[in-house]
Amino acid sequence: MPGDRPEPPVHVVAAVLRDARGRILLARRTAGRDLAGAWEFPGGKVEPGEAPVAALARELEEELGIRILGAEPLVSVPQAYPHKRIVLDVYEVPGFTGTARGLEKQALAWSPPEKLASYPMPPADRPVVAALTAPARYLVSPEPESAVAFLAKLDKALAAGARRIQLRARALPAQTLAALAMDARTRCQAAGAELLVNGEPGLAAELGIGLHLTSKQLMALSERPLPAGQLVAASCHDAEELAQAERLGLDFAVLGPVRATASHPGATPMGWERFSRLREGVSLPIYALGGLRPQDVATARRHGGQGVAGIRAFWPK
């Protein structure tokens, strides 16, 4: 019914501004505004008929007294709040002229990228931090045929730049899986990559690696299964599972299938529009999964995704 249609989202733009040391600028929301006291990437609302980059340039000149020298899209985050919906378009700014000052009496802070997550932020800004600091591709392994073949392929993936990898081996005996995970951990640590194991919380805790939960495991939990500092992620398919992942304080989720996939022939693809609508209900970083390729990162980010996850198109041949 027409009356049931949600209000159109408020269009907001924000910038990633870096200084000569690589630190990123945050601005604190002033008293009297929504989410007062929270830190955010500087920017503001797009006026009717205004181009997003023009709005960004205007807002930064008004708020900070700087002029930007270009803007490249980073991520677009749809986010639902209790009283409104927004779409936050975030741009990387390669340079600017002038000195950033809080012309609206807002506090400013230059943060190293690795410290961004320590600032209290509005929900829409959390996926932006992930887009800046975490891998855009999440490689999921196929069922290992043998340890030797698996590790050889893992070495190729790491050499090609994979930095977040899920060991998914459901058919291996526990002892064999533990040995394989130890070898994979050694290789990932040497490459500066993150390793998560699928569905094995005990093994993840023992080896000090990340854990990827199945949706069934996710829904059965009442608390986060590993301490902060050890990654915990989950496979999600709907709003209820995403809400549970956020409630448990997980680090990220994988949502799909976005497109038809041979590994789940009976699953109905949700498409990018539904992916985006589900994304706006939580502040978790979310990878899109299902029939996607590594080069689909930009499309995923236009719909609020952290990036893309996959097996067949991602694992070395």
Side-chain angles (χ1 to χ4, degrees):
M1 296 176 61
D4 295 331
R5 292 176 185 166
E7 288 293 317
V10 177
H11 193 181
V12 183
V13 288
V16 177
L17 300 164
R18 291 183 170 85
D19 67 5
R21 295 165 54 186
R23 298 178 304 174
I24 294 172
L25 184 65
L26 297 176
R28 197 171 195 181
R29 296 178 69 86
T30 53
R33 301 176 64 195
D34 292 343
L35 302 168
W39 294 87
E40 63 184 0
F41 297 92
K45 293 181 182 178
V46 179
E47 300 295 341
E50 190 176 28
V53 173
L56 186 69
R58 173 183 55 75
E59 287 283 350
L60 296 181
E61 188 166 5
E62 292 173 356
E63 293 183 9
L64 303 175
I66 63 172
R67 293 191 176 186
I68 61 174
L69 304 175
E72 296 294 330
L74 174 68
V75 64
S76 180
V77 183
Q79 189 73 51
Y81 292 97
H83 56 292
K84 66 179 178 181
R85 299 167 62 224
I86 72 166
V87 172
L88 175 65
D89 282 339
V90 183
Y91 293 84
E92 290 259 22
V93 172
F96 59 90
T97 60
T99 300
R101 295 164 291 140
L103 298 182
E104 298 180 347
K105 303 190 184 305
Q106 74 276 35
L108 303 179
W110 289 97
S111 170
E114 65 274 14
K115 297 289 182 64
L116 288 171
S118 66
Y119 285 82
M121 291 184 172
D125 290 73
R126 183 182 176 192
V128 183
V129 173
L132 289 168
T133 60
R137 296 172 180 86
Y138 183 30
L139 173 63
V140 183
S141 77
E143 190 70 29
E145 297 177 8
S146 71
V148 171
F150 176 88
L151 293 172
K153 294 289 181 69
L154 176 60
D155 286 339
K156 288 181 67 175
L158 292 169
R163 291 298 178 263
R164 180 169 278 176
I165 297 166
Q166 180 192 146
L167 170 55
R168 186 175 181 270
R170 296 178 175 177
L172 291 182
Q175 189 172 355
T176 305
L177 174 58
L180 183 61
M182 289 179 66
D183 286 337
R185 179 187 63 178
T186 299
R187 285 164 161 80
C188 288
Q189 287 177 342
E194 300 163 336
L195 178 68
L196 297 88
V197 64
N198 182 288
E200 297 289 342
L203 181 59
E206 179 184 345
L207 297 184
I209 59 177
L211 171 66
H212 188 100
L213 298 165
T214 66
S215 56
K216 184 176 180 180
Q217 288 175 319
L218 169 69
M219 299 308 291
L221 289 172
S222 58
E223 61 183 20
R224 181 185 168 100
L226 294 177
Q230 273 185 268
L231 288 175
V232 183
S235 295
C236 297
H237 309 90
D238 55 34
E240 183 181 8
E241 291 172 355
L242 286 172
Q244 171 75 340
E246 183 155 75
R247 192 159 45 243
L248 295 178
L250 302 197
D251 297 287
F252 65 91
V254 172
L255 178 63
V258 174
R259 295 176 181 156
T261 173
S263 60
H264 296 85
T268 302
M270 65 177 60
W272 285 114
E273 183 177 350
R274 177 159 173 74
F275 176 91
S276 185
R277 289 301 302 271
L278 289 170
R279 199 275 84 77
E280 75 174 36
V282 295
S283 63
L284 277 173
I286 301 174
Y287 289 94
L289 174 74
L292 303 175
R293 304 164 298 164
Q295 52 266 47
D296 288 321
V297 168
T299 302
R301 289 199 165 175
R302 285 198 301 271
H303 294 85
Q306 164 70 15
V308 290
I311 304 174
R312 286 170 176 76
F314 293 69
W315 191 246
K317 299 294 189 282

